[in-house]
Amino acid sequence: MISDITYNLLVVDDDERIRNLLRQYLIKQGFIVSTASGSEEARNKIKLMRFDLIVLDIMMPGDDGLILTREIRDNSQTPIILLTAKSGTESKIEGLELGADDYLTKPFNPKELLLRILSVLKRSTIEENIENEIYFGDFILNIEKRELTLSGERMYLTDREMNLLIALAKSPGQPLNREKLAGVDEPGRSVDVGINRLRRKIEKDPRMPIWLQTVRGKGYILRPDR
């Protein structure tokens, strides 16, 4: 077993040999695996069962994998890994734009697919566990709406300030160093400047912050109530 959790996968490919190979390999790795030979069969199985991840071939007769990806994304956030025989990048880019989480070019080693499945599942599990609303004092941060309220009144934050606050809120109680926060900051601008401006808006005394603190040698940390 690769995990204490048993994940339910759907493999969609019109090539019976590939379907059977992946099914047997992934079952040995501890997954529950269903298969479908095309989009229509996949639709029927998706209606009947909940899948934790879908491995989906792009090139199939009838509705291809890109059409099915769009349909799935219209109704759910189930992770999708696309399989493509195309060496070009257009179909890969289109698939990612439609909401696929990753892709793999045929031919591939089943172990590489396994590693990608584990990576996508880990990422999606972390995202599911992130609270959408973060509370600190009389503040409520709604991550999805990108909205900060104080006692019910919406506060104005610049995009830069909101990006920094959300990045910290997604790792509550864990310090993030300047390098990690620089990834959400504007190029050429100091993370420290952004943090100081944010403190002036959310702290009673910015010189002695309660919520947005500095952890010496590690970076900055948001300490929410819950």
Side-chain angles (χ1 to χ4, degrees):
M1 291 291 290
I2 56 173
S3 170
D4 293 333
I5 303 172
T6 302
Y7 291 103
N8 192 13
L9 309 184
L10 175 63
V11 175
V12 187
D13 198 305
D14 62 312
D15 188 321
E16 184 178 4
R17 183 185 63 84
I18 292 178
R19 286 200 312 274
N20 291 337
L21 185 151
L22 293 181
R23 180 176 180 275
Q24 292 170 12
Y25 177 78
L26 293 171
I27 286 175
K28 288 181 180 178
Q29 307 307 315
F31 293 102
I32 297 171
V33 183
S34 299
T35 63
S37 60
S39 292
E40 192 58 38
E41 185 180 358
R43 289 187 186 101
N44 293 333
K45 293 195 173 183
I46 290 169
K47 289 177 183 177
L48 296 173
M49 300 176 65
R50 179 191 177 278
F51 294 101
D52 297 299
L53 183 143
I54 298 172
V55 178
L56 177 57
D57 185 28
I58 290 181
M59 298 295 292
M60 295 186 296
D63 291 342
D64 64 20
L66 296 177
I67 292 175
L68 188 56
T69 296
R70 183 185 293 110
E71 292 178 7
I72 293 170
R73 273 296 163 269
D74 286 342
N75 297 289
S76 79
Q77 292 301 312
T78 303
I80 299 170
I81 296 178
L82 294 175
L83 304 179
T84 175
K86 292 184 176 181
S87 57
T89 60
E90 285 188 12
S91 61
K92 299 172 187 176
I93 292 173
E94 185 177 358
L96 294 173
E97 288 177 340
L98 289 172
D101 297 85
D102 203 349
Y103 65 85
L104 199 55
T105 302
K106 296 178 180 179
F108 57 85
N109 188 312
K111 187 171 183 179
E112 183 180 0
L113 175 61
L114 172 64
L115 294 175
R116 289 176 185 259
I117 288 172
L118 294 176
S119 176
V120 170
L121 286 172
K122 181 179 179 181
R123 189 165 66 240
S124 66
T125 300
I126 290 172
E127 290 173 354
E128 285 176 1
N129 289 335
I130 293 173
E131 294 289 342
N132 186 50
E133 288 192 338
I134 304 295
Y135 298 80
F136 49 105
D138 293 324
F139 292 97
I140 301 176
L141 172 65
N142 187 301
I143 293 176
E144 184 177 354
K145 293 181 180 179
R146 292 177 60 86
E147 181 178 279
L148 179 68
T149 59
L150 172 60
S151 301
E153 294 293 324
R154 184 171 181 176
M155 292 190 63
Y156 171 75
L157 296 183
T158 65
D159 285 341
R160 181 171 178 240
E161 291 164 349
M162 182 61 74
N163 289 341
L164 286 171
L165 185 57
I166 287 176
L168 290 161
K170 286 184 174 181
S171 299
Q174 299 179 27
L176 295 181
N177 60 32
R178 290 175 177 82
E179 288 71 25
K180 288 183 179 179
L181 289 172
V184 300
D185 204 4
E186 294 177 4
R189 301 293 296 275
S190 167
V191 170
D192 297 337
V193 171
I195 292 292
N196 287 335
R197 288 178 177 171
L198 196 50
R199 278 176 174 160
R200 287 198 289 269
K201 293 186 176 182
I202 68 174
E203 297 286 356
K204 188 173 182 179
D205 184 352
R207 295 169 299 178
M208 299 183 65
I210 297 174
W211 315 115
L212 186 47
Q213 298 180 358
T214 301
V215 180
R216 190 171 182 178
K218 293 186 177 181
Y220 297 103
I221 188 171
L222 181 67
R223 297 191 183 278
D225 294 334
R226 63 185 190 278

